[in-house]
Amino acid sequence: MSYAIVWSSRGGNTQRVAEAIAAALATTPDDPAYVGPVPAEGSADEASALAADTVLAGFWTDKGACAPEMAAFLGHLGGKRVFLFGTAGFGGADAYFAQILERVRAHLPQDAVYAGGAMCQGKMGPGVRARYEAMLAENPEDRRAQAMIENFDAARSHPDDADIVRIVQAAHDALDA
């Protein structure tokens, strides 16, 4: 069985998880067909990734789903086994992560075999906190803005080691299934 690990990472969170998966899978007898960011369409790297039997596709959460470059790549995975993994600035709730995974999964062709998915929270850039602080400055009683700042602060330590171990195990299980 051949596999590829492909990711789209804006702030480095998803790349960190992808690299941990790659390191863990390096102990398997199978060599990866490709490990890296979403390759350019029509490139040799894309051909290598698409030659794999199984694709582990990682994404950062963009407006509740994945970024457009990952969505386009997922659309080319017909006939492949696909494991999805991702990071989201908001998080902690499995139900929220499940919704995101379903929205991302919708980009897969119908003949792709979904091998599961896993997500974790990821830290956000300082500009995000500044937006939340501006919202709170406009309305100091805004509980939503207060909660968003609290979530931002809680996300600073993610993905943490426990997040990575959990996603790596889920990816390993998906390959073994």
Side-chain angles (χ1 to χ4, degrees):
M1 177 195 67
S2 62
Y3 68 92
I5 302 171
V6 179
W7 68 79
S8 171
S9 185
R10 185 172 186 183
N13 298 322
T14 306
Q15 180 176 349
R16 181 174 173 220
V17 174
E19 289 171 347
I21 292 170
L25 295 181
T27 62
T28 67
D30 301 310
D31 290 326
Y34 174 81
V35 175
V38 174
E41 195 161 336
S43 69
D45 285 342
E46 182 189 47
S48 294
L50 295 177
D53 300 316
T54 301
V55 177
L56 296 90
F59 61 91
W60 63 280
T61 301
D62 183 19
K63 300 176 192 85
C66 60
E69 70 272 7
M70 179 54 78
F73 178 77
L74 293 173
H76 297 295
L77 299 181
K80 308 290 180 192
R81 289 183 67 232
V82 181
F83 175 79
L84 298 174
F85 63 96
T87 59
F90 283 89
D94 289 338
Y96 175 67
F97 290 151
Q99 290 173 355
I100 294 169
L101 285 167
E102 282 304 309
R103 285 192 286 275
V104 173
R105 183 179 175 186
H107 294 288
L108 294 171
Q110 287 195 2
D111 64 338
V113 177
Y114 182 59
M119 291 193 65
C120 70
Q121 193 168 26
K123 63 185 168 291
M124 298 170 271
V128 174
R129 192 175 205 287
R131 282 197 315 269
Y132 300 160
E133 289 171 342
M135 291 169 55
L136 193 58
E138 280 184 33
N139 181 2
E141 301 301 316
D142 185 346
R143 292 189 192 279
R144 182 171 177 258
Q146 291 170 348
M148 292 166 88
I149 290 171
E150 289 171 11
N151 180 75
F152 178 93
D153 292 341
R156 284 185 181 168
S157 64
H158 293 275
D160 62 19
D161 290 343
D163 295 328
I164 290 173
V165 165
R166 184 177 49 77
I167 293 176
V168 165
Q169 185 61 53
H172 205 295
D173 292 347
L175 283 179
D176 288 343

